[in-house]
Amino acid sequence: MRHFDLVIIGTGSGNSIPNDATSDWQIAILEKGTFGGTCLNVGCIPTKMFVHTADQAAAPANAKKLGVDAHTDAVHWPEIRDRIFNRIDPIAEGGRNWRANENANVTVYEGTAKFVDDHTIDTGTGETITADRVVIAAGSRPTVPDIADLDTTGFHTSDTIMRLDELPESLIIVGSGFIASEFAHVFSSFGVRVTMIARSNLLLRHEDTEIAERFTQVAKAKWDVRLQRKTTRAEKTATGVKLHLEGPDGEETVEATHLLVAVGRQPNTDLLDVTKAGVELHADGRIKVDEFQRTSRSHIFALGDISSDYQLKHVANHEARVVQHNLLHPDDPIKSDHRFVPAAVFSNPQIASVGLTEEQAKRQGIRYVTASQAYASIAYGWAMEDTTGFAKLLADPATGQLLGAHIIGPQASTVIQPLIQAMSFGLDARSMARGQYWIHPAMPELVENALLNLPLD
Ligand SMILES: Cc1cc2nc3c(=O)[nH]c(=O)nc-3n(C[C@H](O)[C@H](O)[C@H](O)COP(=O)(O)OP(=O)(O)OC[C@H]3O[C@@H](n4cnc5c(N)ncnc54)[C@H](O)[C@@H]3O)c2cc1C
Ligand SMILES: NC(=O)c1ccc[n+]([C@@H]2O[C@H](COP(=O)([O-])OP(=O)(O)OC[C@H]3O[C@@H](n4cnc5c(N)ncnc54)[C@H](O)[C@@H]3O)[C@@H](O)[C@H]2O)c1
């Protein structure tokens, strides 16, 4: 049986661990799917390439209010799809070849790995190996909800919807989180009729409520949004799919040519038989880790979607850097920093957030003040004729330290960055607002004004 110094399961963020400093370790990398993992192949990168294209396709519709007649003449789905994947697929293949053929100390096993015991792994290729240390970076996969007859419909998940042969005529999206909101924007901008089915009374309900309410209001004007609906049954039809729903007004059905299910992602622990390694799990199946990314077996580390509170690439990458350091320096380990984890929803409008929502601050009994600033009240907002976007801040009234920041509107994911920086480095709101110049009349004046609006003690 071959023995390794280190086994890494999963080639998303886990693949960034081997570097020059580990060149004298014998390392096995185990991957059951496409090299590079979710973000590169079916996640962040292709979706944002579609979102940017969708932003271009949707732009003419907004030009009218600026006095410009413009029109999107055609959307060439095969060209858009192929531009995106002809860039991504060679990167995945190149990464695989590099590890498999050009890293002398790395052996790649392409199969579904399973633990035999805490030092022994069946690679799923017919070979079982042993290791001193193991990194579990096996990610998550789309959750398939328990809807009667769903399996007969040929439904899609985020893993398949981006590689369709043709642009759908119409699309039902079950779910109302990140993936649902981003794909609703993409497909509706390309001219597809979109229906969104949400269980609760708000889309993106994990966001600050005022932000979720505004997003829901804007979404209702663009898409057929069905709130407070339970999907009881799915049915394949001659032209696509029909869903049977129960809602506040009783039973109803909705039909479309295509169905996308986007109701969350589950950790891949079940595929790995991790309990055979004696690794402890949370109730939702994620692997329990300490602040050093160590599992309950100290020679086994975990990172990213399979263990994290955050299913975000920048978090998986951060945790991979921590694991890399702790593997190299076991006597001087570092902790993961999850104090201020930002996230953005790349829909239209965009949303970005960091820190506490107002509801969380209330629940935690934290003393806070809030301030908001509308894009419509800053000069660049006038230029864009934006009527729905705003920034909302939460701060400690005594110290001026920011507790949370939430932005809905153009370029929210970029505009929020100075607030993330201020929170990470402990810069108070007043110093931040008045201790620097803000370029006039640029979009970050939204942040400057929101900071000045905070009613601090
Ligand atoms: C549609 C979509 C859009 C997203 N957009 C964003 C975004 O804009 N920004 C953002 O921050 N995050 C985004 N995310 C989330 C982000 O992609 C993930 O948080 C991140 O990729 C997780 O990285 P990871 O390394 O933990 O797992 P992964 O990248 O999923 O890697 C895990 C790897 O392990 C392999 N594997 C699993 N089980 C086994 C096994 N038993 N044996 C061998 N190999 C195995 C898998 O095949 C996979 O390649 C998005 C996700 C999706 C689905
Ligand atoms: N821009 C980004 O950073 C980005 C983009 C896409 C995905 N992601 C990550 O991937 C994760 C998964 O995305 P997602 O959109 O699938 O999950 P999500 O957790 O964002 O949203 C899932 C939604 O589905 C709802 N839901 C659950 N079960 C349901 C059911 N049976 N019927 C109807 N609705 C149901 C939930 O209430 C929730 O609103 C996200 O949590 C996020 O961390 C990030």
Side-chain angles (χ1 to χ4, degrees):
M1 207 180 293
R2 198 161 164 201
H3 183 76
F4 289 88
D5 298 306
L6 176 66
V7 168
I8 299 169
I9 308 172
T11 62
S13 295
N15 186 43
S16 63
I17 290 173
N19 66 0
D20 289 347
T22 63
S23 60
D24 58 348
W25 297 359
Q26 283 301 310
I27 299 177
I29 295 185
L30 280 46
E31 174 55 61
K32 74 169 178 57
T34 312
F35 223 82
T38 301
C39 180
L40 174 65
N41 294 297
V42 289
C44 341
I45 295 181
T47 52
K48 268 76 260 185
M49 292 176 82
F50 276 106
V51 164
H52 180 75
T53 311
D55 290 345
Q56 304 299 309
N62 294 321
K64 188 82 186 159
K65 63 187 177 192
L66 306 178
V68 176
D69 279 342
H71 188 252
T72 298
D73 294 322
V75 166
H76 303 286
W77 171 263
E79 277 177 40
I80 295 170
R81 181 200 58 205
D82 293 347
R83 178 183 73 82
I84 292 170
F85 289 109
N86 287 345
R87 177 172 286 232
I88 288 171
D89 294 347
I91 296 173
E93 189 52 27
R96 181 198 165 278
N97 286 339
W98 187 62
R99 286 294 188 215
N101 304 321
E102 290 173 41
N103 282 205
N105 66 321
V106 174
T107 306
V108 174
Y109 290 93
E110 288 171 291
T112 301
K114 277 189 189 346
F115 279 94
V116 177
D117 62 41
D118 64 342
H119 283 284
T120 312
I121 296 165
D122 171 352
T123 62
T125 63
E127 194 176 335
T128 296
I129 57 176
T130 54
D132 290 337
R133 294 189 286 178
V134 181
V135 174
I136 307 175
S140 62
R141 63 183 186 276
T143 301
V144 177
D146 186 16
I147 297 172
D149 300 331
L150 181 64
D151 53 346
T152 65
T153 60
F155 69 93
H156 289 274
T157 67
S158 53
D159 284 352
T160 56
I161 193 88
M162 290 183 270
R163 296 208 188 222
L164 290 174
D165 290 336
E166 288 173 1
L167 191 62
E169 213 176 281
S170 50
L171 177 68
I172 301 171
I173 304 178
V174 175
S176 50
F178 279 74
I179 293 177
S181 302
E182 291 183 354
F183 279 120
H185 167 49
V186 168
F187 284 104
S188 66
S189 301
F190 290 167
V192 177
R193 270 185 296 111
V194 168
T195 304
M196 259 175 115
I197 315 287
R199 283 189 309 191
S200 59
N201 62 346
L202 281 180
L203 307 180
L204 292 174
R205 70 191 162 95
H206 64 277
E207 299 286 346
D208 184 276
T209 300
E210 281 184 67
I211 298 279
E213 283 172 353
R214 180 60 55 88
F215 184 80
T216 306
Q217 174 201 336
V218 176
K220 276 176 162 173
K222 293 197 290 187
W223 313 318
D224 178 357
V225 176
R226 314 271 178 116
L227 301 173
Q228 295 176 281
R229 300 301 203 280
K230 180 169 190 266
T231 308
T232 52
R233 188 159 71 85
E235 196 183 328
K236 190 172 171 57
T237 66
T239 51
V241 59
K242 184 194 270 189
L243 293 188
H244 297 258
L245 310 175
E246 272 172 16
D249 300 324
E251 293 182 3
E252 67 196 26
T253 58
V254 58
E255 289 191 55
T257 58
H258 291 69
L259 171 62
L260 170 66
V261 169
V263 297
R265 291 174 65 82
Q266 66 183 90
N268 282 328
T269 33
D270 52 342
L271 306 178
L272 277 167
D273 262 353
V274 279
T275 44
K276 290 213 173 124
V279 165
E280 285 177 20
L281 303 182
H282 292 283
D284 61 6
R286 278 176 307 125
I287 294 174
K288 281 189 185 172
V289 288
D290 64 12
E291 64 262 62
F292 303 108
Q293 300 298 139
R294 285 182 312 218
T295 68
S296 51
R297 307 305 315 251
S298 59
H299 66 288
I300 304 180
F301 292 76
L303 65 93
D305 283 12
I306 200 153
S307 55
S308 189
D309 287 343
Y310 308 92
Q311 292 182 334
L312 295 167
K313 183 63 176 174
H314 39 278
V315 177
N317 284 344
H318 170 79
E319 293 175 356
R321 287 193 291 274
V322 170
V323 170
Q324 186 187 56
H325 175 97
N326 293 345
L327 286 166
L328 286 164
H329 309 284
D331 298 329
D332 186 21
I334 55 171
K335 296 178 181 176
S336 285
D337 180 355
H338 293 128
R339 288 172 307 145
F340 306 110
V341 175
V345 186
F346 295 80
S347 185
N348 188 348
Q350 258 191 28
I351 293 175
S353 60
V354 59
L356 298 179
T357 63
E358 187 164 358
E359 296 69 40
Q360 287 169 332
K362 266 194 195 129
R363 271 201 301 276
Q364 292 176 24
I366 291 172
R367 190 165 168 245
Y368 68 92
V369 288
T370 69
S372 293
Q373 177 69 38
Y375 279 75
S377 306
I378 61 159
Y380 209 84
W382 305 344
M384 294 183 295
E385 207 58 54
D386 187 87
T387 54
T388 56
F390 67 94
K392 173 176 174 179
L393 305 182
L394 281 81
D396 179 328
T399 64
Q401 291 293 323
L402 290 163
L403 301 168
H406 309 274
I407 302 181
I408 178 168
Q411 299 298 333
S413 59
T414 305
V415 175
I416 200 166
Q417 193 64 41
L419 293 159
I420 301 167
Q421 189 169 358
M423 290 171 75
S424 302
F425 293 102
L427 184 61
D428 69 280
R430 240 181 234 125
S431 309
M432 183 183 176
R434 279 294 166 251
Q436 63 182 323
Y437 280 104
W438 296 82
I439 294 173
H440 180 72
M443 254 191 264
E445 284 187 337
L446 183 81
V447 172
E448 180 195 14
N449 287 330
L451 289 166
L452 292 172
N453 291 343
L454 279 166
L456 302 176
D457 291 348

